[in-house]
Amino acid sequence: MFLQPRAKVHPVIVVGSGASGGMAAWNLTRQGVDVLLLDAGEKFDRATFWTHVSPWEARERRARGEQPPPFQLDVKEQPYLTPEGQDFELIRVWGHGGKTNIWGRVSLRYSEMDFRAGEIDGWDIPWPIHYRDVAPYYDKVDQLIGVCGGDDDSDSLPGSRYFLPPPAMRCGEVALARAGERLQMPFVRVRRAVKTVAHNGFPACHHCGQCGRGCDTASFFCSADHLLPDALKTGRLEIRSNAVVARILVDDTGLARGVQYFDRKTGAEREVLGKVVVMGASCVDTTRILLNSTSAAHPNGIGNGSDVIGRYLCEQVRFHARGLMPALYGSATRDDRGIGGEHAYMPRFNHRQGHRRDYLRGFGMQLWNTGCSAEGAAHVARHVPGFGAGLKAGVRQKYPAWVEMHPYGEVLGYRDNRITVDASKTDRYGVPLARIDYRIRDNERTMVQHMCDTVEALAKSAGIELVDYTRGATDHNGSAIHEHGTCRMGDDPKRSALNAFNQMHEVKNVFVVDGSAFTTASEKNPTITILSLAWRATDYLAEELKRGNL
């Protein structure tokens, strides 16, 4: 009689390889845990990045039928649904490293006031952790990946002893910082996961300014460059590419027993078994997988007896204000590309005495594209009349004077801002699609008015003529690419899905370590916190495995 071999049971299955999944795989393998990592895409080849391709060269290449690496997932391949008239801009990257291949690299620590926000203002629940719980992991992440920044430290934006040197502020940024000081709106040196000096075997940024095309020298943090290779070197990591995860499978007791996925290229259905499943597929995809993981034990989706998973979707509301600073007209043209994006940042200030507070939470401000940049030149040209030599002279005169302000405000967690799945509409694998139902409310609209007041006050104080700005107009929902909250942490299992270590209350061998685990969005970019919480959660997970509790 022929006996079929038993399927391998992996100690841990990690879904996703971006900031959260990459960190989980890196930390577990270095602690002696074997990991199977499932990624919906493949490894991007840095040698093929168009980082240094000029605009005219890009036109020629495209005319020849060439294309840059397809970082952003085509919505035609993997659609999602929204209510009519209620669009949501969802950006996804399927491939090793996920969105860390092209992210903005802004690395802002959450503060105690962020972790205790629900306790402070009474809106919904606070996080089940404090800043002191995460601070050691912020320190570790800063040292591991290389984060540059100044020596600023405040109640709304904690500092670090481990920052690399910050880049020099540009002229427009200096003017805005001085205006902010006069208005009691202090600016700080930017915190970015960019190596301003050689660090941990990676070269310093060479200031090409094209970070959104991927970094071909790995001088900014990307999970595919900074985490996965070291995890592979341990011999304890197996990466399975083009594995589009559909569901978590459960045993007769309701615990996770493995994962169902489909081969992205062939469509073939596969199943892998594991003792523990760690979800790091990013907020929307993780939530979709959890909600599609229905069974007799979990009819509402795995771990969702409280009907929390999918609810409380939150991110940030933002808008853009662009202008010219006449004081800089005719000044020397400079190379302001720097480390890409802004070199200064305005942290939240509205909680301090003397500032308006007729809404909950707050906002910060980024300054990308300020100064002499390729993007700025294109904008300037749109605001200079004439043609030919006169147009060129006008652009040269105003090019150094370009300034941009991009405020980001926190959106509260509303129960009916949610992700659901629609069994009547499926993807090409037959898996129900995600439906995103998301709106801002009166609290955010009031905050936006204060954000506009702030932009206008800074512009007046700094001598900026706003030329591309409409008061009250906000960017598309989802455009901040900072989705949170749909599988949130909390002390009360009736109001949250995860405990303080990102472990499901109802299913002890499932962990969720991406942005869906956040209790609130804050006004800050989340990636440095995702990395820190994933490290902390997998320290706990590794210890639980050693104790035999999982």
Side-chain angles (χ1 to χ4, degrees), residues 359-406:
Y359 56 87
L360 301 181
R361 311 294 164 86
F363 60 91
M365 186 183 294
Q366 300 180 24
L367 308 173
W368 23 278
N369 291 344
T370 291
C372 299
S373 67
E375 295 82 1
H379 284 299
V380 169
R382 296 187 185 100
H383 298 284
V384 176
F387 60 92
L391 173 64
K392 291 179 182 178
V395 171
R396 288 193 190 98
Q397 180 196 35
K398 295 183 177 181
Y399 180 40
W402 189 253
V403 177
E404 297 194 13
M405 293 177 276
H406 309 276

Side-chain angles (χ1 to χ4, degrees), residues 41-286:
E42 300 175 330
K43 180 175 173 57
F44 296 107
D45 181 359
R46 282 196 274 129
T48 67
F49 290 177
W50 285 25
T51 313
H52 299 124
V53 176
S54 61
W56 49 91
E57 185 183 356
R59 285 196 298 270
E60 291 177 358
R61 287 190 176 192
R62 291 182 189 278
R64 294 195 298 265
E66 299 178 27
Q67 294 291 332
F71 289 117
Q72 187 170 328
L73 178 67
D74 190 335
V75 70
K76 293 178 182 177
E77 177 181 351
Q78 190 58 239
Y80 60 97
L81 310 171
T82 58
E84 186 175 353
Q86 204 168 304
D87 292 343
F88 189 92
E89 185 176 354
L90 178 63
I91 306 298
R92 291 178 285 184
V93 176
W94 282 8
H96 297 191
K99 290 191 287 288
T100 63
N101 283 281
I102 54 172
W103 67 306
R105 306 164 311 285
V106 179
S107 300
L108 308 172
R109 295 187 179 202
Y110 277 30
S111 67
E112 181 69 357
M113 62 189 293
D114 295 315
F115 291 117
R116 310 319 300 165
E119 190 174 85
I120 293 168
D121 59 33
W123 180 269
D124 213 54
I125 63 172
W127 292 65
I129 53 178
H130 293 262
Y131 177 74
R132 63 176 179 268
D133 299 315
V134 190
Y137 289 93
Y138 280 136
D139 287 347
K140 292 177 182 180
V141 170
D142 286 345
Q143 294 172 82
L144 176 67
I145 71 174
V147 176
C148 66
D151 57 2
D152 310 279
D153 183 86
S154 70
D155 57 349
S156 63
L157 184 61
S160 173
R161 296 174 293 161
Y162 302 105
F163 285 149
L164 303 177
M169 292 169 63
R170 305 172 178 104
C171 291
E173 292 171 330
V174 171
L176 278 167
R178 289 173 178 169
E181 187 175 354
R182 291 190 291 271
L183 296 169
Q184 296 182 309
M185 304 172 185
F187 284 69
V188 300
R189 310 297 282 275
V190 73
R191 288 97 184 265
R192 303 276 293 284
V194 179
K195 295 164 184 61
T196 51
V197 295
H199 180 77
N200 282 354
F202 293 94
C205 171
H206 54 277
H207 293 190
C208 72
Q210 299 297 332
C211 311
R213 302 178 184 179
C215 184
D216 57 8
T217 59
S219 298
F220 71 60
F221 167 73
C222 174
S223 171
D225 295 317
H226 296 77
L227 297 176
L228 299 183
D230 284 347
L232 286 167
K233 288 176 185 176
T234 66
R236 296 188 175 278
L237 175 64
E238 176 190 346
I239 300 178
R240 203 164 294 182
S241 300
N242 296 309
V244 183
V245 172
R247 298 172 179 88
I248 296 175
L249 307 172
V250 299
D251 61 20
D252 293 339
T253 69
L255 291 176
R257 67 174 180 86
V259 168
Q260 176 204 44
Y261 72 89
F262 292 86
D263 187 290
R264 187 180 182 184
K265 292 188 173 181
T266 68
E269 182 181 351
R270 300 280 187 264
E271 181 179 301
V272 287
L273 304 181
K275 294 180 179 178
V276 178
V277 176
V278 177
M279 293 301 305
S282 83
C283 177
V284 175
D285 281 336
T286 282

Side-chain angles (χ1 to χ4, degrees), residues 292-306:
N292 279 325
S293 301
T294 56
S295 63
H298 305 287
N300 201 30
I302 190 167
N304 196 27
S306 60

Side-chain angles (χ1 to χ4, degrees), residues 1-7:
M1 183 175 66
F2 176 73
L3 294 177
Q4 195 167 12
R6 295 181 63 184

